[in-house]
Amino acid sequence: MRLRPLDWAVLLVLIYEVPSLLLSRYPSNGLRAATTGCVGVLLYFLARLTVRTSRQAVLIAALVGVGGAALAGFALIQFNEQIHLLKANGLTEIVAFRARLIAPPAPWVLGEWFTLLLLTLPFAFAVPVLLWLDRRRVLAAGAALMTSIIAAGLLLSCSRAVFWGLIVFAVVAVGTAAVYRTIRTKAALIVIAGTLGALGLVLATENLFYPGVMGAYTGRQTSQVRSTAGRLGIWKRSAGVFRLSPVWGVGSGNAPLFLTSSADEEETTGFASRTFSLPIQVLTEKGAIGAALYLSVLVLAGWEAHRKLRNPKVSQQMKGLACCLVAGVAAVLFRELTYSSLLEHAATAMLFTLCLALLASEEPA
């Protein structure tokens, strides 16, 4: 396999974990992050070595999409059960109790679990797209059910970041396809209108069965205002943590520790349990050098997508997959602007690096 610039950047991110651990304020806290990074990089290169054709890509996307649909189905069932329990106890406020309506298995917390579900969306969406481009219209229509189930599960999150992440995904996927002429502009307008209309229909249907779901995205409940204020306070304190070690960072897993130690007495330790922003997490824990390496990965991934979409020798199926993956990366990064969960678990890191690997994959000449 010929190594491309993105491959070297991914390797450098992994190599950087060595000095990052050695210079960490508390190295033991970074062992899990280092392990997560190793697993993600291993999957990246495994996919780079094995995926060459659109059929292989469809198989991978289908497997991940089915897994995402199963997770979303679990969320829908559990949400329905918990809502009935709330009503039985005379409680109707969904947003205030949203953290208890879906309980993911340990050690996941709900926000991390929704990040995992959001990462499965580009794969699930790619399956009907690839089947449609392969002129298998009936199968494409059936495969679109996976995307609908995942979207329905995400809309029950009552998280504005997740909601707007869905919008970003739809706009970027169709917009990228239109810009690189994978589909015509007129068709793109029809598709984006249909996609946004379908999301609106799903949300309206859920609000019909569970009144208050739509209000989570249109109103400003007390819990949402407090959540915003808490995040702003954490981001302000994170600047002080960054100044402790601006070049190398305080080390993986150490930002929550320093945030908690700098909290005022009236602040809860729960609010200081993470940075609630992936860019801020990388800056404080990895320093300026680490942040530059992570940014180079994203820039080079964008370049790989650009190169593939402009190449006339690449099949329409692989271009369609690239549009879905670019949209998936954009949606997750948008969600992570206000939540730091992408690097917390091997599963989320693996799905993200799988997106990057498929963007860099090359079809045989």
Side-chain angles (χ1 to χ4, degrees):
M1 183 186 70
R2 183 181 63 177
L3 291 178
R4 301 195 58 80
L6 178 58
D7 303 328
W8 289 111
V10 171
L11 274 176
L12 285 175
V13 166
L14 180 62
I15 293 172
Y16 182 72
E17 286 296 332
V18 176
S20 180
L21 275 175
L22 293 176
L23 297 172
S24 173
R25 298 299 180 96
Y26 301 97
S28 59
N29 291 339
L31 291 177
R32 189 181 71 170
T35 303
T36 299
C38 287
V39 172
V41 171
L42 285 174
L43 182 65
Y44 172 88
F45 282 103
L46 178 62
R48 286 282 286 115
L49 284 168
T50 57
V51 179
R52 287 289 181 272
T53 67
S54 59
R55 290 184 180 273
Q56 292 173 322
V58 169
L59 178 59
I60 292 175
L63 291 174
V64 177
V66 169
L71 290 176
F74 160 79
L76 293 170
I77 293 172
Q78 196 171 52
F79 188 92
N80 182 68
E81 293 176 348
Q82 294 302 316
I83 281 291
H84 283 89
L85 286 176
L86 278 181
K87 290 182 177 179
N89 287 279
L91 302 173
T92 59
E93 181 59 54
I94 289 180
V95 175
F97 295 96
R98 58 183 173 176
R100 297 179 178 273
L101 297 178
I102 300 173
W108 293 80
V109 298
L110 190 58
E112 298 167 351
W113 191 85
F114 276 116
T115 300
L116 175 65
L117 189 58
L118 184 60
L119 278 166
T120 66
L121 181 62
F123 297 96
F125 190 78
V127 175
V129 169
L130 296 178
L131 290 173
W132 185 272
L133 292 173
D134 202 30
R135 301 184 184 280
R136 299 182 181 184
R137 307 289 197 251
V138 177
L139 288 176
L145 181 62
M146 287 192 305
T147 307
S148 301
I149 294 174
I150 293 174
L154 289 169
L155 288 173
L156 290 181
S157 66
C158 297
S159 166
R160 289 169 292 179
V162 173
F163 173 79
W164 286 108
L166 279 171
I167 305 299
V168 168
F169 174 82
V171 172
V172 172
V174 180
T176 304
V179 168
Y180 288 95
R181 301 186 183 280
T182 302
I183 59 176
R184 296 179 179 179
T185 303
K186 183 178 180 180
L189 293 175
I190 295 174
V191 171
I192 190 62
T195 302
L196 295 178
L199 286 175
L201 179 61
V202 172
L203 181 57
T205 303
E206 290 181 338
N207 192 70
L208 182 64
F209 286 96
Y210 314 116
V213 171
M214 190 175 292
Y217 306 115
T218 58
R220 286 181 61 83
Q221 281 79 6
T222 303
S223 61
Q224 292 175 320
V225 174
R226 292 181 60 190
S227 177
T228 301
R231 279 172 165 80
L232 292 174
I234 285 177
W235 296 340
K236 183 178 180 180
R237 297 212 313 273
S238 295
V241 178
F242 174 71
R243 286 193 292 268
L244 292 175
S245 182
V247 177
W248 296 100
V250 297
S252 298
N254 288 330
L257 178 64
F258 283 91
L259 286 171
T260 302
S261 63
S262 64
D264 296 331
E265 291 183 0
E266 65 270 15
E267 292 182 290
T268 63
T269 56
F271 251 169
S273 63
R274 64 179 72 220
T275 60
F276 284 100
S277 176
L278 181 62
I280 293 176
Q281 178 189 358
V282 173
L283 273 172
T284 55
E285 295 187 350
K286 307 292 185 179
I289 296 177
L293 289 175
Y294 277 86
L295 181 61
S296 69
V297 169
L298 297 179
V299 172
L300 290 172
W303 169 253
E304 290 295 337
H306 171 73
R307 182 185 63 85
K308 178 176 289 186
L309 290 168
R310 288 195 61 184
N311 189 347
K313 296 181 180 180
V314 176
S315 66
Q316 288 295 100
Q317 287 78 9
M318 293 300 283
K319 289 184 178 181
L321 175 64
C323 291
C324 296
L325 295 175
V326 167
V329 170
V332 171
L333 292 179
F334 177 86
R335 186 270 198 285
E336 287 290 281
L337 289 176
T338 56
Y339 199 82
S340 51
S341 59
L342 189 60
L343 305 177
E344 295 299 314
H345 295 277
T348 49
M350 289 168 65
L351 284 179
F352 191 78
T353 55
L354 181 59
C355 288
L356 302 182
L358 293 178
L359 284 174
S361 63
E362 298 177 346
E363 290 181 298

